[in-house]
Amino acid sequence: MSNKKKKLFLIDAFALIYKAHFAFIRNPRMNSKGNNTSAIFGFVNSLIEILEKEKPTHIAVAFDSYEVTERQVIYTEYKANRDKQPEDITASIPIIKSIIEAFKIPILEVPGYEADDIVATITKKVPAEDFDIFMYTPDKDFAQLVTDNVFLYKPARKKKPSEIWDVEKVKKEFGIKRVNQVVEIQGLTGDAVDNIPGIPGIGPVAAKKLIAEFDNIENLLKNTDKLKGKQKEYVENNGDKAILSKQLASLLTDAPVDFDENNCKIKEWDKDTLETLFAELEFKNLGKRILGKEPQKKESIKITEDLFAVQYTEEKEKLKTEKDFDKKYINIENDDELEELIKKIIESKKFSFNIEFSNSLIKYTRIRNISFSLKANEAYYYKFSRDEDLVKKSLNKLKPIFENHEIEKISFDLKFTIRVFQKYGIDIKGKLYDNTIAHYIIDSGAKHEYEILSEQYLNYKPIISANLDSSELQNYYCEKADIYLQLFEKLKNEISESNNTELFFNIESPLIKVLAKMENEGVLIDKKALNEYSVLIEKELKELEKGIHKIAGIGFNINSPQQVGEILFTVMKLDPKAKKTKKSKQYSTSEDVLQNLAKKHKIAELLLNYRQLKKLKSTYVDALPEIIDKDTKRIHTTFDQSVTTTGRLSSKNPNLQNIPIRSERGRHIRKAFIPKDENHVLFSADYSQIELRVVAHTSKDKELLNAFQNNIDVHTATAANVFEVEQKDVTPEMRRKAKEVNFGILYGISAWGLAQRLDIPRKEGSEIINQYFEKYPGVKKYIELCIEKAREKEYAETIFYRRRYLKDINSRSAAQRSFDERNAINAPIQGSAADIIKLAMVNIDKVFQDENLKSKMILQVHDELIFDVYKPELEKVKEIVKDKMENVVKLDVPLIIDSGEGGNWLEAH
């Protein structure tokens, strides 16, 4: 730490808010109105302590986003075990933000990103030679960011004083050689608080020893032959969990947030607003300490009359429990009683059910019990035998109700049940209603757990399963089915009120079964092709290494940022302005630095290629063979309908939506995806420019409509309009720029953003966008209308009326407001494209089923569908797919697909 440097404090807001709230949990601070002010009081105390004791020159506060984060998309169980945020904290957050603003401290909050990632990004953007950075948080996860100028400042706790962790302290605490090994330890041990799995059986002590010996997880997984006993078994069986856990634990450093030095500079407080807020909160002593007098309300300051109005406007009705109802839960004890229940279900024409499985892995799971409900406050419980033959016998008795087209079925996570039942030869038919999907349609950005929905819609607190005896567990399982039934009636009404009936009943519900079949089918992987490609990449890496060494005129370790920096800036002197940090004595060789150098220097371009290729090899080429199912020899991804806020499907384990396709090297990975045998061929059908076609349809812009209706290349047409030349005179460079504009417009791209993409001056970027809107006035009007409607309704809609709520569209924060303005433009476009391909999938599957085809739909990747086609059926499949994809919905422009077939996905696409 240097006394000459500026001092930046980055505060992890929620970590301190929760810490403060629970510090007073036994004796909460309450004001005269009965409001719990513990979290606010504790947070302000911590803030004042920082300002007075540490005297920072700069400060900012980072907040978590309530939207789905990248980690939750990668792993839906991430933080899923956390309790619902206490209402007292929820009510306190807006007040805390008002206090922070009164202190003239910037709030850093980016939808879809956690505070950790915001802080991580800022630490990389702040000039190391100018600032010492202190991350104020009790969270050890931040330790991975510690460098010679970045420190972890752990607040005082109970009798333990505050601590400042530097590089040496981090290495000592984690027992590691380098700070970047923090995530290696976390990848092995996991994190129970965040529900990161790690490797079962590997604790901190074992993790330290393994990383000390093998350096990193990837190297450990390559050398499991050196392990022994149970540890060898744990590591070999859970390598994918370790890689996933490391990824989840790694903080992102590319969040869309910038460091504004002037904005973060310590400023004079708004003492009048602080005084009014403290008077409302009844912080007399704290007010005296900070303001030098007892706080009084300032009539000139407009503060909500009751700060806690959101929580306390009206007293909440107390949550009901099982004790408030006369519930009738019946245990089915024999076959006769089961037969009687089946008759009742057939007569009822509708039932909800809950099934308890032994684990979450389809191939190993066993059905433990099932509960049914036919009307509110009544349910039936049936326990399956441990004998698998008897399980099959019982399931055969239930088969008629699950395969009955006329009986409606209601549950949660229906897709998993469908997949398990398929193993037992049961094909669930009829209308399927999944409460998770129902609520996802109502609010895609919210949580969909049944306990939360029960409290929200039924004002009922469900039984907690912990420490229940066998008889109580029966009630717990029956209650689930009971709640499922009651919930759906509420959700169905809300779906109808929001005009989402068609979306739910005709698209999302039928899609559940389609996805279940796709997941069970899986896709065959040519492990040999990937291994061969790995060898080729390794060879290319060595060639790149030679080329880099040749240009440098000296050999060095390309994987060492320190050595790379020395070569680029000391030996080759590529940037005379480059400076080493005072503490580390190292140059930065980040991707941004190399990209800037690459514009002038070949070696920087080769270094970027080397890093990208190495990442491709480790992330995909070497990783995919490790998750091939040993029995089926296929990869079985899991599709999720309820993760993204736009309506797009996501996939996990592995995430096939993220297989790189822009680079030739990335596309080559598709070569390893092959048909099931020599009698089959892969067929790919990809919507052509579907999002731009949706824009043409919704904006009614004459130029866009004309291009698509007359089958004119839209990028060429745009280039001709923007650059004012004949279409025949459009150059490839003009078309490239026009393409960036066309797709950038969908995301509300700015002149600066376009300039960055095209590597042109900002002024030119501004001129291109202005010219675009002049030539495409319908698009400009559409964008303005999208934002206007969103401000009025606080949500955006697709052509199928799917809503995306935009809570910050009217925010006072320009950054938050502009983010939701971009979503207001993009959500109807991307969401409509998602709805269209989902409906096409449902329609294609129905024809395949009606015609009893052997061919299978196996993958969906954004706007593309992939089929494993029985060769004699190829022409029929082509005809069906083309018809159902291109005629799925009538737009003002034609929907067109590009298609192909081949012996692998690369050939087909």
Side-chain angles (χ1 to χ4, degrees), residues 685-734:
D686 193 358
Y687 275 118
S688 171
Q689 300 167 335
I690 187 170
E691 291 186 352
L692 285 173
R693 291 172 191 270
V694 170
V695 173
H697 170 77
T698 51
S699 70
K700 311 299 182 192
D701 184 272
K702 291 180 180 178
E703 287 293 330
L704 270 185
L705 289 172
N706 178 65
F708 285 120
Q709 287 169 351
N710 293 286
N711 199 26
I712 299 169
D713 177 72
V714 70
H715 302 313
T716 301
T718 300
N721 281 321
V722 169
F723 298 109
E724 297 185 318
V725 297
E726 295 293 325
Q727 288 188 20
K728 62 183 177 61
D729 296 324
V730 169
T731 66
E733 180 62 14
M734 288 178 180

Side-chain angles (χ1 to χ4, degrees), residues 466-482:
N467 303 319
L468 297 179
D469 62 31
S470 58
S471 61
E472 291 171 320
L473 273 172
Q474 291 177 21
N475 285 348
Y476 165 72
Y477 296 132
C478 282
E479 185 187 73
K480 277 190 167 184
D482 181 13

